Amino acid sequence: MKKLGKTDTITKEYMKDPVIFADMFNKFLYHGRQVIQPESLTEMDTTEIAVPYGDGKAGVPAQKYRDVLKLMMTDGNIAYCILGCEDQSAIHYAMPVKNMLYDSMQLSHQVTMAAKSHRQQKEHKPSSYEFLSGFHKTDRLVPVVTLVIYWGPDRWDGPLSLKEMYVAADDVIMQYVPDYKVNLIAPEQMTDEEIKEFQTSLKEVMLYIKYSKDKNKLLEIAQEDPNFLSMDRQAAEVINTVTNSKLKYPEGKGKINMCLAIEEMRMDSKREGIREGIREGEIKGAVETYQEVGISLQETSRRVSVKFHLPLQQAEEEVKKYWQ
């Protein structure tokens, strides 16, 4: 089992890179077209921006609700939209509720800051309705897009909408209950062509995750992509951590030849398989010998446990496989 804390830390740091972050959203929103530029992205925890509420300025929340949250600016001064990503190393079966809460908190914060801006500026006397909420008739919210990135090799089998989580109700009721859609990136559910819409190391990271359970296919994919021959160390560490591959590569700051690392991992796996085969053969031979000389099943299990340094329960399971 992977250590989720380490996985979360490494993936968050990777996604904080504005080039990687922009590439992720460009692929998801625009099929790889370079619409979002890294230089237009600003971390939300340190920057003040002008929001479309009169001429006032509103502070950005210091508390980050997302794993990574960035502003997309139009000209360095006006917020165009807010982009957030949630890194998931494991499937979250309440993801629609989790993300909806985060988005609602962000929008609620905008309403609060709009009201604060109006109170400070005092540009005109609000109507009774505007006074009630603090949000003026001409105010507008900055849209929020949240993207879930699942770093696992398995199919995401959790709900992708709030309506999937409700108990069964008649169609009339369901027409009026709120819904929320999860925007998901999951390598196993993407075609190779879709993955190749990424323009950064995300392409190789996603391909690796997708084929991480098939070492032969993985090596084939890596040999076809020259970027695997010289990969950024941070991307290599993301791969190694999220897939628990135990890749071996030199320490330092240089690029990583992932083809060599994958081949070494494949050979290690093959050697481990050979050792396991030899061990299985030895256990089988021991069980057959003990049985031939009339030793009981219970005593055979005990001896196998001692001889092969196995827990007694595991030894009992191994003995039963070969006991005639």
Side-chain angles (χ1 to χ4, degrees), residues 287 297 301 314-324:
V287 171
L297 175 63
S301 297
Q314 184 180 349
E316 290 172 348
E317 293 172 357
E318 291 292 327
V319 169
K320 287 177 182 177
K321 288 195 298 188
Y322 307 115
W323 191 264
Q324 300 296 325

Side-chain angles (χ1 to χ4, degrees), residues 42-304:
T42 306
E43 290 283 346
M44 286 201 63
D45 57 334
T46 57
T47 308
E48 286 192 352
I49 59 168
V51 292
Y53 309 127
D55 296 323
K57 286 192 174 183
V60 177
Q63 181 180 2
K64 292 192 293 185
Y65 299 126
R66 317 299 168 85
D67 288 338
V68 185
L69 192 65
K70 294 181 184 288
L71 286 166
M72 182 178 172
M73 313 291 285
T74 55
D75 60 2
N77 186 42
I78 304 299
Y80 176 69
C81 69
I82 296 171
L83 302 174
C85 76
E86 280 295 304
D87 296 300
Q88 288 296 133
S89 52
I91 298 170
H92 195 303
Y93 290 107
M95 205 73 216
V97 175
K98 179 182 179 183
N99 276 7
M100 183 178 68
L101 176 61
Y102 288 169
D103 287 356
S104 298
M105 291 174 71
Q106 177 54 235
L107 295 172
S108 177
H109 175 79
Q110 290 186 42
V111 171
T112 300
M113 298 311 293
K116 180 179 179 181
S117 176
H118 290 312
R119 288 195 303 270
Q120 291 175 342
Q121 296 297 319
K122 300 179 181 178
E123 63 279 338
H124 75 274
K125 184 178 180 180
S127 69
S128 58
Y129 302 120
E130 290 174 332
F131 181 81
L132 181 64
S133 65
F135 196 78
H136 290 194
K137 183 177 180 179
T138 56
D139 288 343
R140 295 295 180 267
L141 296 172
V142 178
V144 182
V145 179
T146 299
L147 181 57
V148 174
I149 307 166
Y150 175 47
W151 299 97
D154 302 316
R155 175 167 287 270
W156 179 280
D157 62 358
L160 292 177
S161 70
L162 193 57
K163 285 192 173 181
E164 294 176 58
M165 299 180 65
Y166 290 123
V167 298
D170 67 56
D171 292 341
V172 174
I173 291 176
M174 293 306 293
Q175 288 181 44
Y176 296 98
V177 298
D179 198 7
Y180 179 93
K181 178 184 176 183
V182 172
N183 301 312
L184 178 71
I185 288 284
E188 197 275 341
Q189 284 149 267
M190 301 169 70
T191 66
D192 289 3
E193 288 69 30
E194 288 174 327
I195 292 176
K196 289 174 182 177
E197 290 177 350
F198 289 115
Q199 304 295 312
T200 65
S201 59
L202 274 167
K203 179 179 68 172
E204 286 71 40
V205 170
M206 293 295 165
L207 282 171
Y208 190 106
I209 294 172
K210 179 178 179 178
Y211 293 107
S212 59
K213 293 184 177 181
D214 184 344
K215 294 181 177 59
N216 292 328
K217 179 67 175 178
L218 185 58
L219 183 59
E220 178 186 327
I221 291 291
Q223 290 172 338
E224 292 174 354
D225 185 342
N227 291 327
F228 273 105
L229 295 173
S230 183
M231 180 174 284
D232 289 338
R233 183 169 295 273
Q234 187 179 32
E237 290 177 352
V238 168
I239 284 174
N240 211 13
T241 302
V242 301
T243 62
N244 198 28
S245 291
K246 300 178 182 178
L247 294 170
K248 300 174 183 177
Y249 43 77
E251 295 183 0
K253 297 183 179 180
K255 301 282 188 176
I256 306 298
N257 186 331
M258 293 295 287
C259 290
L260 290 178
I262 293 169
E263 178 60 27
E264 179 63 26
M265 176 189 66
R266 204 166 67 102
M267 294 305 296
D268 284 347
S269 179
K270 187 177 293 185
R271 287 190 287 266
E272 182 64 26
I274 293 172
R275 285 194 293 269
E276 286 296 320
I278 293 172
R279 182 183 178 88
E280 286 291 317
E282 291 175 344
I283 292 175
K284 182 175 183 291
V287 171
E288 291 174 348
T289 300
Y290 293 146
Q291 191 172 16
E292 286 175 1
V293 298
I295 296 176
S296 68
L297 175 63
Q298 183 177 4
E299 177 61 17
T300 295
S301 297
R302 189 192 68 78
R303 294 191 182 193
V304 166

